[in-house]
Amino acid sequence: FFNFMDLIMNNSSVVLKEHNVQVANQMSINTSSAKSFLALTQGLYSNVFSSILRELVSNGIDASVLSGTKIPLIVNIPSNFKFEPFFVQDFGFGMSLEDVFEIYCNYFKSNKSNDSNAIGGFGLGGKTPFTYTNEFKIETTSHEDNVRRTFIIKLNDDSKPIYIYDNDFDIVDDGDGKGVAPALVLGAL
């Protein structure tokens, strides 16, 4: 049994209605547990491979449309995943370091949420490789500074997603357009 007066004093969103108490508070997602992240990938899609392909190709199409490029996507579907990587490569603007940290590495964060022409916008599609593997990489070249960066995206020992970025692997395009194509590559390691 709890004291109604204490409840009223400590929670401004409580409304008394005769003898009933109504509480209105915002619900949240517990991200301290790996279960929340696994629920967003494991078992979310019934056909894992087609879902990964659909989501990553959709992201590539969105990136291409946004940049206005007419260069087609490159999709590599290997006959043997142990010896050859699966990847989707587009020739859009790429993601800046800040975009990767603040958008890609945050579930439900998207720069396409308010774009009615975009295919995606929920901030989940880029994480679909987790439905198949515990570790994959993204490579992206930002149009802002022409630096290609590689990130390892993986589940840690607690099954929570983490990203690893080491700027020692950065490659700088020399500006002639031949060094590093602006591209997003996702592939299972």
Side-chain angles (χ1 to χ4, degrees):
F1 188 76
F2 57 92
N3 182 324
F4 287 137
M5 290 310 289
D6 286 344
L7 187 63
I8 292 169
M9 299 291 241
N10 294 324
N11 190 339
S12 62
S13 60
V14 173
V15 178
L16 285 177
K17 184 178 178 182
E18 295 185 24
H19 298 291
N20 298 323
V21 175
Q22 295 179 346
V23 179
N25 280 319
Q26 185 174 347
M27 296 179 75
S28 64
I29 296 174
N30 178 4
T31 59
S32 64
S33 166
K35 291 187 289 186
S36 57
F37 295 107
L38 293 175
L40 296 172
T41 53
Q42 311 290 317
L44 186 62
Y45 301 100
S46 59
N47 188 325
V48 172
F49 292 109
S50 66
S51 297
I52 294 170
L53 183 62
R54 179 187 66 245
E55 296 292 344
L56 299 185
V57 166
S58 294
N59 284 348
I61 291 169
D62 284 343
S64 296
V65 168
L66 180 66
S67 72
T69 185
K70 301 295 183 203
I71 302 172
L73 301 179
I74 297 172
V75 179
N76 186 58
I77 302 174
S79 58
N80 188 331
F81 282 87
K82 289 184 180 182
F83 301 108
E84 202 180 339
F86 161 79
F87 65 85
V88 175
Q89 181 176 8
D90 70 64
F91 296 90
F93 290 134
M95 292 184 285
S96 69
L97 188 59
E98 183 178 300
D99 287 345
V100 174
F101 291 156
E102 294 185 15
I103 298 172
Y104 183 86
C105 291
N106 282 293
Y107 280 74
F108 299 112
K109 186 99 182 227
S110 174
N111 59 355
K112 302 184 286 186
S113 299
N114 297 321
D115 184 349
S116 61
N117 295 317
I119 299 169
F122 294 101
L124 293 175
K127 288 81 168 176
T128 54
F130 279 135
T131 61
Y132 175 73
T133 184
N134 290 338
E135 185 173 309
F136 59 97
K137 73 176 178 178
I138 63 170
E139 295 176 358
T140 185
T141 303
S142 172
H143 70 284
E144 294 175 4
D145 60 8
N146 291 325
V147 176
R148 169 168 260 169
R149 296 177 175 92
T150 300
F151 301 84
I152 304 299
I153 313 295
K154 63 186 273 182
L155 297 178
N156 68 10
D157 294 338
D158 296 330
S159 295
K160 294 179 186 174
I162 62 170
Y163 60 89
I164 300 167
Y165 168 64
D166 185 343
N167 66 357
D168 287 339
F169 296 107
D170 288 357
I171 301 171
V172 179
D173 186 345
D174 61 12
D176 66 1
K178 296 178 184 173
V180 181
L184 168 64
V185 178
L186 291 132
L189 294 176

